[in-house]
Amino acid sequence: MSVHKKKFKKVTTNSVQEMKRNAEKISMLTAYDYTMAMMVDGAGIDVILVGDSASNVMAGHETTLPITLDQMIYHASSVVRAVNRALVVVDLPFGSYQGNSKEALSSAIRIMKESGAHAVKLEGGTEIKESIDRILTAGIPVMGHLGLTPQSIYKFGTYTVRAKEDEEAEKLLSDAKSLEEAGCFSIVLEKIPAQLATKVAQTVSIPVIGIGAGNGVDGQVLVLHDMLGMTKEFSPRFLRRYLNLYDDVTNAIQAYISDVKSLDFPNEKEQY
Ligand code: KIV
């Protein structure tokens, strides 16, 4: 397996923008805890997202809505302690920025101050522009998130592909332009037609990172637990599994149980 040459000693918001200018694809994965973040960073990932998908994969909630700002800060600070190179971006959780821009700024400040992360991510377009402006004014880098925005799941009612119709596609393109104009350093596009995602990536000068958005964007992001095959029930078409850890971990635990029951573990060398 080839190991990708790491050009940047530390990845910054400027580095990912330079990568887009140089047509180098940006790799991004989620992480929520110290040990996994250490492996993800050590492997050479460019960006680590402490996603509010922690609500699903770490806490077992059905949606991303229940996770709190305090819980996001806990996950983010665990990740930051493990990271030497990657840019660490943290999701502002549902309810911590939609109310008003003052609340959005104070949530973003708490994340930066209490976790040591490098940037925040917010879901939405023009409707949250005031919050984005205010966070940026405080010097906090912002990543946008358009397309399927899981925090609005109850508004849409389904996790199906977004922006298939012309009207929604036009709104998404204009939202992407206004996020760029506002000063976002990058945008995530989730689950939209590949052709539209490519058009967005060609229209804006900031990096566009896709999940279920095809290959014409500037980088890709996946949820770590999904790509490692730790989750079984979630199988969208865009997901590539690089391991089948669910089965591997189950087999290891069953072997341990059997060794304990049969007195095979611990053996003489494994005791004092
Ligand atoms: O929370 C998350 O993991 C995300 C990614 C799916 C982009 O927002």
Side-chain angles (χ1 to χ4, degrees), residues 73 76-77 80-81 88 90 110-119:
I73 290 169
S77 53
V80 167
R81 279 193 287 276
V88 180
V90 182
R110 276 202 64 202
I111 286 186
M112 301 298 282
K113 222 187 224 313
E114 295 176 40
S115 77
H118 311 131

Side-chain angles (χ1 to χ4, degrees), residues 29-75:
L29 279 174
T30 65
Y32 319 99
D33 67 83
Y34 176 81
T35 307
M36 292 303 254
M38 197 166 50
M39 287 190 263
V40 174
D41 185 60
I45 205 82
D46 297 314
V47 185
I48 293 183
L49 172 66
V50 184
D52 58 359
S53 49
S55 179
N56 310 101
V57 297
M58 299 301 286
H61 293 296
E62 214 172 287
T63 72
T64 57
L65 276 66
I67 199 158
T68 65
L69 186 57
D70 285 339
Q71 288 165 339
M72 287 304 295
I73 290 169
Y74 166 77
H75 287 297

Side-chain angles (χ1 to χ4, degrees), residues 28 30 32 49-54 64 91 121 123 145 150 188 190 211 221-223:
M28 171 160 146
T30 65
Y32 319 99
L49 172 66
V50 184
D52 58 359
S53 49
T64 57
D91 266 334
K121 176 163 83 59
E123 294 183 7
H145 183 154
V188 164
E190 182 164 353
I211 172 163
V221 54
L222 284 176
V223 168

Side-chain angles (χ1 to χ4, degrees), residues 133-147:
D133 285 343
R134 202 149 179 176
I135 295 171
L136 285 165
T137 310
I140 301 172
V142 174
M143 178 181 265
H145 183 154
L146 299 170

